[in-house]
Amino acid sequence: MDKPKVVLGVSGGIAAYKACELLRRLTESGHDVRVVPTESALHFVGAATWSALSGHPVSTEVWSDVHEVPHVRIGQEADLVVVAPATADMLAKAAHGLADDLLTNTLLTARCPVVLAPAMHTEMWEHPATQENVATLRRRGAVVIEPAVGRLTGVDTGKGRLPEPGEIFEVCRRVLARGAVVPDLAGRHVVVSAGGTREPLDPVRFLGNRSSGKQGYALARTAAARGARVTLIAANTALPDPAGVDVVPVGTAVQLREAVLKAAADADAVVMAAAVADFRPAVYAAGKIKKKDSQDPEPITLVRNPDILAEISTERARSGQVIVGFAAETDDVLVNGRTKLERKGCDLLVVNEVGERKTFGSEENEAIVLGADGSETPVPYGPKEALAETVWDLVTHRLA
Ligand code: CTP
């Protein structure tokens, strides 16, 4: 089989050097990559580097090899176009359909999925002109990856960093695997909660659980690759931020509730993958609880936490919003799952049978997704990404 053809567009920003790593990952994983830099990109990384790493000639304008009509052919033949970094100028040109060099021509002639990974200073990213261009591109079906927050060129920090090449590569891999030209979650805002809440007893101790957050992160990552704007509410996780996802860190169930309610206000779908503590200590000791010799330990009194899933399901922020819950069951999985689905009032409930090999923190999962409409979708034992894709399939079906 022919290798999938990827066009790596590089526009003129300091993050161009990170595109070399992305190029390496793409070629080493069996993709035929043609690099199309802009003239300004070559100020940062020279044509020789792109050519040597990709094994193809490199040109920035349409006047080389004119007999091969490169300004049309490169775009037409591509299975994926990814632009990393995409500068504010590149986003503006792409949104307005300008075609004054080889890369912008390629973007106009491409009929395959397009991934854009913007990188620029925070002010440029936040400018209404850029935001409107991004919204236009997303509406048309391009996957625009949200920039990361961190150190920018020079000493300043903020939103605008190019996500790590490995993360951009993951988005490309997923977009290519789906092959859909217009991603099915384009223009949608989805909220995912992940991890496990911690309920403090005193400044050093808490009641918590062993949820790693991996399933929630897989949901966030796959939704971003399907074109959604994603808010990931992460409770006590230690995982790298997925590319293109807004991460809101929280600690307790009460903080998780606040963050979910805020993000859900304009969301098309909410997936509650977080393990939320049902109870919290009634009293928080401002100072560390000390043991006293010859005295039995004090019992811990607990009070109930709000049931966030039930609350957002019964008082929907928007009509047509799709709400998904998760449940772990040890026995009578289907019966208990159905009862829980009804009690919570959500549209879908992903029921995990917890058993010996299905431990917290593992890379795999197995589940049945129950629908309020009576449907049952079994998901065989496999990567958490596969379960995530099934959840989004069921969500997009309901959104449509
Ligand atoms: N959930 C929530 N708020 C809570 C508790 C749970 O939103 N206070 C959500 C979780 O994010 C998950 C689902 O509800 O989506 C799990 O429901 P829960 O009743 O907590 O499941 P189990 O812990 O399996 O329940 P039970 O103890 O009743 O078996």
Side-chain angles (χ1 to χ4, degrees), residues 33 47 50 57 60 79 118 138 151 158-159 184 203 314-315 322:
V33 189
W50 301 123
T60 62
D79 297 304
R138 283 187 174 144
R151 178 92 188 261
K159 188 162 184 172
D184 54 3
T314 43
E315 292 160 40
V322 179

Side-chain angles (χ1 to χ4, degrees), residues 193 272-278 305-309 325-329 340 343-344:
S193 71
M272 286 292 297
V276 186
D278 289 320
N305 268 331
D307 188 328
I308 308 161
L309 178 61
F326 272 69
E329 302 290 343
K340 193 168 285 176
R343 182 159 51 82
K344 301 268 186 180

Side-chain angles (χ1 to χ4, degrees), residues 342-358:
E342 269 161 41
R343 182 159 51 82
K344 301 268 186 180
C346 51
D347 302 293
L348 295 162
L349 189 74
V350 183
V351 191
N352 282 299
E353 186 175 354
V354 278
E356 289 191 352
R357 64 180 176 156
K358 300 143 199 166

Side-chain angles (χ1 to χ4, degrees), residues 56-143:
H56 284 295
V58 165
S59 169
T60 62
E61 32 94 327
V62 296
W63 308 114
S64 323
D65 303 315
V66 176
H67 62 286
E68 290 182 2
V69 206
H71 74 289
V72 178
R73 193 180 44 78
I74 295 175
Q76 278 176 341
E77 288 179 357
D79 297 304
L80 175 79
V81 177
V82 49
V83 185
T87 57
D89 180 63
M90 179 50 60
L91 295 175
K93 284 180 171 158
H96 293 275
L98 299 191
D100 59 357
D101 64 4
L102 190 56
L103 179 53
T104 45
N105 272 274
T106 299
L107 283 167
L108 275 188
T109 50
R111 291 294 174 270
C112 58
V114 174
V115 174
L116 300 157
M120 63 199 72
H121 264 75
T122 312
E123 291 81 358
M124 296 173 90
W125 172 252
E126 287 175 349
H127 195 283
T130 306
Q131 286 303 307
E132 279 175 31
N133 290 332
V134 168
T136 301
L137 291 160
R138 283 187 174 144
R139 204 171 49 246
R140 289 192 202 131
V143 175

Side-chain angles (χ1 to χ4, degrees), residues 190-216:
V190 304
V191 177
V192 177
S193 71
T197 62
R198 289 180 181 177
E199 309 298 327
L201 278 160
D202 69 15
V204 292
R205 304 182 182 96
F206 58 82
L207 300 181
N209 61 71
R210 293 153 79 93
S211 175
S212 66
K214 283 182 181 165
Q215 185 61 64

